[in-house]
Every structure is written in C-alpha cells, then in structure tokens.
Amino acid sequence: MKIVALCGVGIGTSAILKVNAERALARLDIEADVTATDIAGVQSVGLDAQVILTSSELVDAIGKTNADIVVIDNYFDVDELTAKLETALG
Amino acid sequence: MPLPPLPADAIAIGVHVEDWRGAVAAAGDALELSGSTSPEYTKRMIGVIDEFGAYVVIAPGLALAHARPGPDVHTEGLSVVTLAEPVAFGHPHNDPVSVVLGLAVTSGDEHVLLVAELANVFNDPRIIPALAAATDVDSIRALLGVTAPPEEQ
C-alpha cells in the first residue's frame, strides 16, 4: 500500500507529515510505504497511491486522482492521523 | 538524535509584526542573522505561501516557514520566532499563529533527521503554548531540547 504526504515544496511540512503518518500506521499495525512529495510531483507519485495526506489549503491543487484525499489539521497530532487513516483504510 | 545547537541569533522573542508576511520575514531575519541564509531565501519563504496558501500553519498556533534548497541557503538552519501579538495566516483551523519556525536545508535528503526530531518535540501539545509564553532564549532552548553552540557556552 502506498500513502503520499503532500506539501507545497516537498520539504519540511510533508516530511513531518510522513514521520507522524508512519507513527500512526505503526499504531494501527498497517504496513504502508509513505512518500513525501510536492504539488509538482503529486500526479506522478500519487498515481498508485491509496491515500493522499495533505492540508486543506492544498486539496484544490491536487487535481484528478483516484486516491482518497485525507485533510490533516494538526500535523503533530498522531491521534488525529491515526483516526483519519483508520477511517480511510478501514 | 537531538536537534542541532541553536544560536541566540536564531531566536527572536516577542516580535511585533503587522501580518503573516512580517512574521515569516522575522523567521527569515533570524536565519540570516545566524548565518544560515541570504535575504533572498526570506523572500522565497514568503513566495511559497503566496503560491500555495497557509498550509505551512501545520498545528494550532504554529507556522513552519520554509522553501526549497537553493544558493541562498549556506548551511542547514532552524530559527524560532515568537510573536508579541498572534497574527492570522488564513488557515481554516490553526490560526492565529504565535510561533513561527524558519527552516532552511541545503538538500532534499539531509533534513529528514532534523524534521523527525522536530516531530518528536512537537508531538507534545504543550510545547507550542509554552514556546509562545517563553521570555528568554534559554527557556526556548530547554523546551526544544537543544543546547547553545559551543561559542556561546
């Protein structure tokens, strides 16, 4: 399974999202590959992704995708990430 | 792996700004003062928000200002700015912002450890309000679990 963590420039915020998404997945005992990317790369990187994690600000920039787009409000809140990933993947 | 030492120049406490641009500029100024970046990087951090919106406000009260690596980044750097009056960035959930981190990296890969450690620190929800309330450089360092660089000790 592939999950994409998306931010505007692919540095910093998407990396934080990736680190905490991996922590949430470990809690859920789900094996998945989490890739950090930017707006420019999301169409190619996200092609075979099941879930795209991002901020509400960036949803419109993603364009057409078959992945579930999951909006994260607090990137440091592993509880929020765990609950939303459980819903999206359950 | 702990965060790297944080020079006093990279920390600004109780800064007065008019708006989010001023807040990001303050984080850029601190990166410049500590020798990490050139002024051009500050403009690029503001440009990222102009282009993509307030997604850099990644938690309630906290903005992580950043841009891509470039020739205006001399060394990897982190700056911490607390605002005298919180400002809105335009984020639907996490405004207003009272703490701005400035992040500068020289390559897309090297920042991963730094960012993982930032995530460790900020996974504690008490940290952001405590940083916002801190009144001296040593308190900021203690909250982040960082030391002063050797030349300041």
Side-chain angles (χ1 to χ4, degrees):
Chain A
M1 185 189 317
K2 184 169 169 186
I3 293 172
V4 171
L6 172 70
C7 87
V9 297
I11 297 278
T13 52
S14 58
I16 285 176
L17 197 49
K18 171 181 154 74
V19 166
N20 281 330
E22 285 168 347
R23 288 172 183 164
L25 289 163
R27 278 194 199 174
L28 293 168
D29 203 19
I30 293 173
E31 283 213 15
D33 175 32
V34 186
T35 306
T37 190
D38 60 6
I39 288 292
V42 70
Q43 277 299 332
S44 56
V45 175
L47 206 59
D48 55 347
Q50 187 159 351
V51 172
I52 298 174
L53 299 170
T54 192
S55 160
S56 54
E57 297 289 294
L58 297 178
V59 169
D60 290 344
I62 295 172
K64 199 161 175 265
T65 176
N66 291 323
D68 281 341
I69 297 173
V70 174
V71 170
I72 303 300
D73 296 329
N74 183 344
Y75 282 28
F76 293 116
D77 186 347
V78 180
D79 291 340
E80 177 187 345
L81 273 157
T82 305
K84 289 182 174 174
L85 279 169
E86 187 169 30
T87 304
L89 300 173
Chain B
M1 183 188 141
L3 289 167
L6 198 59
D9 283 343
I11 302 171
I13 297 167
V15 178
H16 294 268
V17 297
E18 294 286 322
D19 54 18
W20 69 262
R21 287 173 196 279
V24 175
D29 289 347
L31 285 171
E32 288 169 36
L33 265 180
S34 58
S36 175
T37 61
S38 306
E40 188 62 27
Y41 187 74
T42 303
K43 290 181 196 155
R44 294 203 293 121
M45 291 199 298
I46 293 171
V48 165
I49 301 171
D50 274 331
E51 183 173 1
F52 297 112
Y55 82 90
V56 301
V57 187
I58 56 174
L62 180 83
L64 178 63
H66 62 297
R68 291 177 204 278
D72 45 15
V73 180
H74 310 306
T75 60
E76 180 179 272
L78 181 73
S79 67
V80 182
V81 172
T82 69
L83 303 176
E85 303 89 21
V87 295
F89 274 57
H91 191 282
H93 298 282
N94 296 333
D95 273 341
V97 168
S98 52
V99 178
V100 184
L101 304 179
L103 176 69
V105 297
T106 54
S107 80
D109 299 323
E110 74 172 31
H111 71 293
V112 171
L113 287 174
L114 175 68
V115 165
E117 187 51 36
L118 271 183
N120 279 339
V121 171
F122 283 94
N123 282 352
D124 180 344
R126 295 168 299 185
I127 289 292
I128 296 168
L131 282 173
T135 54
D136 61 82
V137 165
D138 286 331
S139 307
I140 300 263
R141 286 195 185 114
L143 286 163
L144 295 175
V146 302
T147 58
E151 62 272 19
E152 290 180 29
Q153 287 173 359

